Amino acid sequence: MPKLVKNSVLLSVTAAFVVGASGVAVAAGSASGDDRSEALVTFAHYPSGEEFRVKVTDAGVIDHAEQLMAGAKGISALPVGIIERAPTDNADNPGYDWRVKSESFEFADAGSLTCDGAPSGVTNGPMWYYDTVSYCPWIADVVKVDKR
């Protein structure tokens, strides 16, 4: 299991206030020995029945996602990252007009209610969401890790 190396503060900016949530980022490097540096991680959001995908470029976070998919307990499991408008083809998150910025993505221990919700709720959200708001669905599980 990778060592935890830093604590970070994740911010969700909403209307006129900031809500913080503490999270933990994982170390770079893969315990599995597979050092491919990019993966498309698929999450199932159970309340809505929707799936969304995040392109992950940190080997330690990829390894962490694989551990979660294998059923690991006691490790950070809340996906968190800043959303951005996606290009028309959106290969990273098909079916949506948004994606999570790869460089902002991590797993946290807790999140703010203001960044929770269904993936379709992000699509239907206001334009100011993009590049300012973190998405952190509370009930989303890793269901696939496709290393590239």
Side-chain angles (χ1 to χ4, degrees), residues 12-82:
S12 286
V13 179
T14 61
F17 58 93
V18 176
V19 179
S22 73
V24 179
V26 295
S30 174
S32 67
D34 187 344
D35 290 331
R36 286 185 258 180
S37 61
E38 185 176 296
L40 195 60
V41 179
T42 303
F43 293 87
H45 181 261
Y46 288 108
S48 68
E50 299 170 7
E51 288 188 347
F52 67 97
R53 290 163 189 78
V54 176
K55 181 171 83 173
V56 179
T57 55
D58 181 288
V61 177
I62 294 168
D63 187 54
H64 197 87
E66 290 179 317
Q67 291 177 44
L68 289 168
M69 190 175 65
K73 303 293 182 208
I75 62 174
S76 302
L78 182 73
V80 180
I82 297 172

